[in-house]
Amino acid sequence: MAKINDNYLKLKAGYLFPEIGRRVRAFTEANPSAKVIRLGIGDVTRPLAPAVLKAFHDAVDDLGTTDHFAGYGPEQGYDWLINVIIENSYTPLGVSLSTSEMFISDGSKCDCANILDIFAMDNIVAIGDPVYPVYNDTNVMIGRTGEADDKGYYKGIVYLPCNEANGFIPALPTEKVDIIYLCFPNNPTGVVASKAELKKWVDYANANDAVIFFDAAYEAFITDPSIPHSIYEIEGAKKCAIEFRSFSKTAGFTGVRCGLVVVPEEVMGTMADGEKYSFNKLWNRRVSTKFNGASYPVQRAAAAVYSEEGWKQTKEIIDYYMENARLIREGLTEVGVTIFGGVNAPYIWLKTPGGMTSWEFFDKLLNECNVVGTPGSGFGPSGEGYFRLSAFGHRENVIEAVERIKKNLK
Ligand SMILES: *Cc1c(COP(=O)(O)O)cnc(C)c1O
C-alpha cells in the first residue's frame, strides 16, 4: 500500500481560524440579532483599482483574438512585468536588479513554501515567534523537524521569540543557523525593522554563510520614509537574501493571485564537495520544471498597478486601510490599551488589558463588543497575552468596532 508523508501528521490540526469560526458561530446562534464586526482576517476588502481592472479585462479580451492570443508564457514571468516592477519598485530605492533575478508567481504563500525545494534538508532554520504559520508548517511538512513540544515548538527549528522587551524584533540566534525567515512589516505584529536592525541580520548571514528569506508582503504599507521597503537597501544583502513580494495586500490581489521572488545571482550555497553554487540557477530550474507561469491576464493586471493611474488608485486604497489603522490605534490608545504596529502595517498588535490571555480577550471582545479579532497565541507561544486587529475592514465597521471597544474598556 502507498505510504503517506507522515511528517504531515506532526502538524497540529489547523486550530486558530477553525476555533475562531466555531466560537463566532456559537455566539451568533445564541445571539441572532447581534451585529458582529470582523477585524480578524488578513484579507483585503476593497475592490481592484479601476485601471487595474481595465487592464485585466483587456487582457481577457486579448485571449479571444487570433492576433493577441497568449498561450504558455515564460515560466519566470513576462519581461514586461518584471521590468516594470524593477523600474518602479526597486530602482527608486537604489536597488539594481536584472530581469533574470526576478520570478513572477501565483502568490507569495506558494513561493515561501516552494523555496525549500532548493535547500538541503540538514540546513538549520530559524523562525520568529509569533509568526506567519506558513514558514513553520512547510518546514514540518518536508520533514525538517521532529515532533512539537507542549509549547508548540518543533524539535529541530530554532525559534526566535519576539516580545515587548525586544520590540518584537528578534535577537540574533546564539547558535549558528543556515536559513533565517524575516518578515517586515510583520504579520502579525505590524512592527517594522530599521536599516540598522536589518544590517545586523545581513552581517550575520554573510558571516555565517546563511540565507535570509525576507517576506516583504506588506512593504507598500510603510509610511515612515526611513524604513526600508526591500532588504536589498541594506549593503551586502544581495549576497545573502531572497526576497518575497506579493500583489495580494498591495493591490487587492488575494483572489487574483500574483507574487514574485527575487533571487540575486550572487546568493550562493555550497554543494556536497564544498564548492559554491548559485541559488538563482537552482530556482530557475525548479520554476521551469514545476511551474508554467502566472496567468497572462493576471500579469497584465499586475503591470497596470504601476501605470500612473493604476498606482494613484492603488495608493488611495492603501491609504484607506492605513486610515482605518490610525482609527483603531488612536481609539484604543485613548482608553489605555498598549498598542504596537499599525503605523507602517495594516495590523495592530495589542497587549491584552489586565493580563488576560489572548483567548480570554477574544471571548470578551466577542461577547461584550461583538467584535472578532485574532488571538496572538495562535501565531506562536510568544503571542500569548497579545491580540491582532486588522485594518482591512470597511470604514464604517472599523469606526463602530472602535466605539464599542472604547465604551467597553473605559
Ligand atoms: C498575505 C501574506 C502573504 C501573501 O500571500 P499570497 O499567497 O501572495 O496571497 C505573504 N506573507 C505574509 C506574511 C502574508 O501575511
Side-chain angles (χ1 to χ4, degrees):
M1 195 182 297
K3 292 184 184 140
I4 65 159
N5 174 355
D6 52 12
N7 293 312
Y8 278 57
L9 305 183
K10 296 174 190 163
L11 292 167
K12 295 261 167 46
Y15 171 73
L16 179 62
F17 289 100
E19 180 59 19
I20 291 173
R22 199 187 62 75
R23 294 192 193 201
V24 173
R25 262 193 315 281
F27 176 81
T28 48
E29 275 162 25
N31 305 275
S33 63
K35 186 194 166 206
V36 173
I37 299 178
R38 289 166 197 270
L39 297 183
I41 320 159
D43 196 0
V44 295
T45 55
R46 308 302 295 165
L48 295 178
V52 174
L53 189 65
K54 169 142 194 336
F56 206 174
H57 275 155
D58 289 349
V60 170
D61 287 341
D62 282 349
L63 298 178
T65 67
T66 314
D67 285 353
H68 298 288
F69 173 76
Y72 287 130
E75 291 96 346
Q76 300 80 356
Y78 287 102
D79 281 0
W80 42 256
L81 174 58
I82 293 174
N83 291 332
V84 91
I85 297 171
I86 292 175
E87 268 162 43
N88 288 277
S89 222
Y90 283 96
T91 309
L93 304 176
V95 175
S96 68
L97 294 176
S98 60
T99 314
S100 60
E101 292 177 307
M102 186 177 291
F103 301 84
I104 306 298
S105 71
D106 58 353
S108 203
K109 190 196 237 186
C110 324
D111 288 334
C112 291
N114 292 335
I115 197 75
L116 294 178
D117 257 22
I118 61 168
F119 287 82
M121 197 66 92
D122 56 359
N123 284 302
I124 307 286
V125 168
I127 298 178
D129 159 36
V131 75
Y132 181 54
V134 175
Y135 313 150
N136 183 75
D137 292 1
T138 53
N139 276 284
V140 176
M141 286 172 166
I142 64 159
R144 182 165 282 125
T145 75
E147 300 288 336
D149 65 14
D150 298 343
K151 268 175 107 176
Y153 280 167
Y154 287 83
K155 198 165 179 290
I157 287 186
V158 174
Y159 291 95
L160 306 171
C162 300
N163 46 46
E164 203 175 338
N166 58 28
F168 300 96
I169 301 203
L172 294 174
T174 49
E175 59 211 281
K176 188 181 168 332
V177 302
D178 306 301
I179 296 172
I180 302 143
Y181 288 82
L182 295 178
C183 174
F184 293 110
N186 190 263
N187 177 14
T189 67
V191 164
V192 285
S194 67
K195 284 187 178 159
E197 274 147 348
L198 289 183
K199 179 79 167 68
K200 279 195 308 204
W201 285 97
V202 168
D203 290 347
Y204 173 93
N206 282 326
N208 290 280
D209 290 326
V211 171
I212 294 171
F213 293 166
F214 191 76
D215 185 342
Y218 296 95
E219 61 80 24
F221 295 84
I222 292 172
T223 56
D224 177 344
S226 74
I227 297 298
H229 285 245
S230 165
I231 185 102
Y232 305 119
E233 292 179 68
I234 313 303
E235 198 192 326
K238 277 185 84 180
K239 289 209 290 276
C240 64
I242 292 176
E243 181 162 292
F244 302 87
R245 286 194 178 192
S246 170
F247 287 86
S248 281
K249 318 301 166 25
T250 304
F253 274 43
T254 52
V256 175
R257 311 303 307 142
C258 194
L260 65 96
V261 196
V262 178
V263 189
E265 311 273 4
E266 301 103 288
V267 184
M268 295 286 171
T270 49
M271 298 187 280
D273 64 5
E275 291 297 307
K276 289 189 186 308
Y277 199 89
S278 146
F279 280 113
N280 178 285
K281 276 207 192 99
L282 287 182
W283 184 246
N284 191 42
R285 189 73 176 85
R286 190 219 174 264
V287 166
S288 314
T289 302
K290 296 198 182 183
F291 190 53
N292 252 334
S295 129
Y296 166 77
V298 164
Q299 292 191 66
R300 282 285 182 212
V305 169
Y306 297 101
S307 66
E308 201 180 318
E309 206 52 24
W311 183 247
K312 191 172 150 278
Q313 294 162 353
T314 300
K315 185 73 175 60
E316 278 166 15
I317 299 167
I318 293 170
D319 292 345
Y320 175 97
Y321 293 134
M322 290 313 288
E323 175 63 8
N324 286 347
R326 186 187 69 78
L327 292 167
I328 298 171
R329 216 162 25 83
E330 292 183 357
L332 298 194
T333 305
E334 254 175 63
V335 288
V337 179
T338 306
I339 300 282
F340 305 91
V343 178
N344 296 293
Y347 295 119
I348 290 88
W349 186 245
L350 62 92
K351 196 170 174 174
T352 56
M356 271 182 269
T357 67
S358 299
W359 279 108
E360 280 167 359
F361 188 67
F362 174 90
D363 288 334
K364 177 183 167 65
L365 222 54
L366 175 61
N367 289 307
E368 297 172 14
C369 306
N370 309 338
V371 172
V372 181
T374 314
S377 55
F379 297 102
S382 298
E384 181 56 274
Y386 294 91
F387 199 77
R388 190 189 77 176
L389 292 174
S390 150
F392 285 132
H394 297 292
R395 177 70 44 79
E396 59 281 12
N397 288 344
V398 167
I399 290 172
E400 190 174 339
V402 170
E403 281 313 310
R404 290 184 197 168
I405 299 171
K406 273 170 67 178
K407 217 192 253 166
N408 184 276
L409 294 180
K410 214 179 274 174

